[in-house]
Amino acid sequence: MGDGMKTQLVSAIQLQDLELGKNNKGESEEEEERQSFLCCCFLFVFVAEEQTFTVEEAVETIGFGRFHILLFFIMGSSNIVEAMEIMLLAVVSPEIRCEWRLQDWQVALVSTVVFLGFMLCGALGGYVADRYGRWKVVFGGFVWSSYFSLLTSFAPSYGWFIFLRSMVGCGVAGVSQGFVLKTEFIPAKHRAVLLPLASVFWMIGSMLIIILGMLVVPTLGWRWMIRFSVTPSIILIFLFKYVPESARYNVSAGNVDAAMKTLQWIADMNRSSLPPGRLVEPVEVERGNWRILLSPSLRRTSLLLWYTWFVASFSYYGSVLSSSELLEKNLLCITNPDPDHEIKHRLEDGLCYCIPLALSDYQTLLISCLGEVALIPLNIGLLNIFGRRMSLTVLQAMSAVFFLLINICTTMFGFTVLLFLLRSLVSMNFNVVYIYTAEVYPTVARSLGMGFCTSFSRIGGMIAPFIAQVLMSQSVIAALIPFAVATVFCAAGNFFLPIETKGRSLLN
């Protein structure tokens, strides 16, 4: 109800009171009751029209339903694409080492330039997502990464290969904003279950690229493997029309009508309803302002999260690339070696090993991928019982222990079990970091906060190859110690995170 109508209503009531005063003796009790009833009706309409609700209240009222299942599978499929693009490096490295006669540092540089592209575009993608919308950035990231990934398969030289892979990393940075888009639609009580379950899709992507490598590389070569790996991205581009723009972003940008249409569509799809009243939230003009991340209320959180993301990526890709390197070069201390696990190479010039991954090596990598989802129930239990901060501390401390255990002499089965558990821990840690970051930042800076965090994480991803692939050749224990030390310091730092987001609604 507008201010003019409110004034007219008050004036009418005052005029009525004056008339009642003049003709008090002449009016009947029936007339007084009629006037009182009309006043009550006006007041009821006034109160009813003033009922409002926020996006958070709408999301919680609508609840979980068919829309969230659709969202879970489409956005989960984006994790498949992201995992395939990143894990592709572990499968392709032995092949390009031989084709272009690369030294260890040149192989490590391939992974580094991918994460460099991710880092440079991560913060930029977050800024654009907060200013102009999450959906545009995620969709654009898919198209960009698919295009340049396909071009990679035609790379005529090592220089072109690393340039094109850096462009792929830039596109994947946009795809990673899909986590924010997904989180902003999920009710608070379901986030601790649905978000960890998304790691199933990452595992599927990792396994798909390993299976492609096992089936395609020995017969058609690594170039055709990359071409086949682009197929899920192309399919997903057409499915994205079923994912709407974030309603939280739309209201922060002042586009309330679009937010209402989205929320109503979700309610209809879930066979639910919106809260009574109208959607009201203030327009935020400070969207995408990096100063929010370093404001007094968020400064300590941001600084600690940047280091936490650095360690999460450093330890995760350290475990992935270390496993590939240990298997390719056979640097393992095996107590019962068979002929296939003799020292495969010791060339004086240290150039081309030309030792492709064997079938047993692919099988070990597949089993280790299963570790990324095997402990999901434990991950969900930690999040719901102990919260986000304590979960991070426990997972990082345990990761440090298993990084050191990989160096012990054991059987091939024992190494596979240790690698399986290590991949489980570092993967769960990455899940919790994603969830905590999406929950702790307000809507006006959520994508930017995620973008800055992913940029810092890629610094860890840039350093990890030189330790896991270069230093590993000199000394296995010297390469494993940096990963263990970094995770121990990170576990201690998480005690100082000032905000626990367990069960808390997303901030606007």
Side-chain angles (χ1 to χ4, degrees):
M1 181 178 293
D3 293 336
M5 293 185 66
K6 294 178 185 176
T7 304
Q8 292 176 7
L9 177 59
V10 173
S11 300
I13 294 173
Q14 290 174 343
L15 180 61
Q16 176 189 333
D17 290 338
L18 289 173
E19 291 177 353
L20 285 172
K22 291 179 182 178
N23 305 304
N24 187 42
K25 294 182 180 180
E27 287 190 341
S28 64
E29 291 182 3
E30 181 179 348
E31 182 65 14
E32 289 179 1
E33 291 176 359
R34 187 180 68 83
Q35 295 292 344
S36 298
F37 175 77
L38 289 174
C39 289
C40 290
C41 289
F42 274 114
L43 290 173
F44 176 80
V45 172
F46 174 78
V47 172
E49 286 197 7
E50 281 301 297
Q51 281 189 296
T52 61
F53 61 90
T54 64
V55 176
E56 179 70 25
E57 292 169 342
V59 169
E60 297 297 330
T61 301
I62 292 171
F64 179 82
R66 291 189 297 175
F67 166 77
H68 296 93
I69 296 174
L70 177 67
L71 180 73
F72 180 73
F73 280 100
I74 294 179
M75 298 309 299
S77 299
S78 71
N79 290 342
I80 294 178
V81 173
E82 188 177 354
M84 292 181 72
E85 293 295 349
I86 298 299
M87 293 297 296
L88 178 144
L89 302 173
V91 178
V92 166
S93 292
E95 302 299 321
I96 63 172
R97 183 199 300 273
C98 183
E99 180 167 334
W100 290 313
R101 296 185 61 82
L102 304 179
Q103 298 184 45
D104 285 340
W105 70 267
Q106 291 175 304
V107 176
L109 186 61
V110 174
S111 301
T112 298
V113 295
V114 172
F115 295 125
L116 177 63
F118 205 133
M119 182 189 72
L120 295 177
C121 295
L124 176 62
Y127 171 79
V128 174
D130 278 331
R131 293 290 297 179
Y132 304 106
R134 282 69 155 128
W135 191 93
K136 300 180 183 69
V137 173
V138 179
F139 182 78
F142 272 113
V143 176
W144 181 284
S145 60
S146 302
Y147 175 71
F148 281 100
S149 185
L150 183 60
L151 287 184
T152 302
S153 67
F154 298 97
S157 65
Y158 170 73
W160 272 106
F161 185 86
I162 61 173
F163 168 74
L164 293 171
R165 291 312 297 178
S166 69
M167 293 295 100
V168 173
C170 192
V172 174
V175 175
S176 67
Q177 289 295 332
F179 192 88
V180 173
L181 179 61
K182 174 174 59 179
T183 302
E184 292 184 335
F185 281 118
I186 299 176
K189 67 179 181 179
H190 295 284
R191 288 200 297 267
V193 175
L194 289 179
L195 297 181
L197 281 175
S199 60
V200 172
F201 295 97
W202 182 279
M203 178 210 67
I204 292 173
S206 300
M207 295 183 69
L208 277 177
I209 201 66
I210 294 172
I211 292 171
L212 271 177
M214 186 167 52
L215 298 178
V216 177
V217 171
T219 54
L220 299 176
W222 63 269
R223 296 177 185 274
W224 275 104
M225 183 196 71
I226 293 179
R227 291 163 193 164
F228 286 131
S229 71
V230 177
T231 305
S233 299
I234 298 173
I235 295 173
L236 199 56
I237 287 173
F238 293 100
L239 292 178
F240 241 71
K241 66 180 180 179
Y242 298 106
V243 177
E245 178 59 89
S246 167
R248 295 177 191 270
Y249 162 76
N250 276 329
V251 294
S252 70
N255 197 354
V256 178
D257 290 339
M260 273 297 297
K261 289 179 181 178
T262 297
L263 292 172
Q264 187 60 61
W265 178 67
I266 296 172
D268 293 341
M269 193 169 182
N270 285 6
R271 297 174 182 174
S272 182
S273 60
L274 294 174
R278 60 193 178 93
L279 177 62
V280 174
E281 283 193 24
V283 177
E284 300 289 351
V285 296
E286 291 294 320
R287 300 190 318 278
N289 188 340
W290 64 269
R291 293 181 179 86
I292 296 175
L293 306 181
L294 295 176
S295 61
S297 61
L298 289 172
R299 185 181 298 119
R300 190 201 302 178
T301 299
S302 293
L303 294 176
L304 288 172
L305 271 181
W306 292 344
Y307 178 66
T308 302
W309 274 81
F310 167 85
V311 173
S313 180
F314 182 62
S315 59
Y316 179 82
Y317 294 110
S319 69
V320 171
L321 297 174
S322 293
S323 60
S324 176
E325 195 74 5
L326 288 168
L327 292 169
E328 178 197 353
K329 295 185 177 180
N330 191 28
L331 301 173
L332 300 172
C333 180
I334 302 298
T335 58
N336 59 342
D338 54 51
D340 291 334
H341 289 89
E342 298 289 337
I343 296 297
K344 294 179 181 177
H345 62 273
R346 284 297 179 192
L347 299 183
E348 292 181 1
D349 58 7
L351 286 178
C352 182
Y353 301 124
C354 284
I355 305 295
L357 294 177
L359 179 62
S360 60
D361 296 331
Y362 281 114
Q363 291 171 346
T364 300
L365 291 175
L366 280 173
I367 294 172
S368 68
C369 286
L370 291 174
E372 298 195 8
V373 298
L375 300 184
I376 283 180
L378 175 61
N379 196 2
I380 294 173
L382 286 172
L383 288 170
N384 284 287
I385 297 173
F386 298 106
R388 281 49 163 165
R389 292 181 300 179
M390 184 57 68
S391 296
L392 286 172
T393 299
V394 171
L395 293 170
Q396 288 158 355
M398 293 180 66
S399 298
V401 173
F402 277 90
F403 266 115
L404 295 178
L405 288 177
I406 285 183
N407 187 58
I408 66 174
C409 286
T410 181
T411 63
M412 195 63 194
F413 174 77
F415 169 76
T416 303
V417 171
L418 290 174
L419 185 60
F420 177 89
L421 293 174
L422 176 61
R423 288 285 293 274
S424 297
L425 293 168
V426 294
S427 177
M428 286 193 294
N429 179 54
F430 229 143
N431 285 335
V432 180
V433 170
Y434 259 108
I435 294 169
Y436 182 81
T437 304
E439 291 178 337
V440 79
Y441 285 119
T443 299
V444 293
R446 186 167 295 123
S447 287
L448 184 63
M450 184 71 76
F452 265 85
C453 286
T454 54
S455 290
F456 275 92
S457 78
R458 302 318 162 187
I459 297 176
M462 291 164 62
I463 298 173
F466 287 95
I467 296 177
Q469 293 179 306
V470 179
L471 183 58
M472 186 74 73
S473 297
Q474 308 303 319
S475 171
V476 174
I477 186 63
L480 295 175
I481 286 177
F483 297 113
V485 171
T487 49
V488 166
F489 275 105
C490 192
N494 287 322
F495 280 110
F496 299 97
L497 285 170
I499 303 171
E500 173 56 64
T501 61
K502 174 189 171 184
R504 195 185 74 166
S505 60
L506 298 182
L507 295 180
N508 291 318

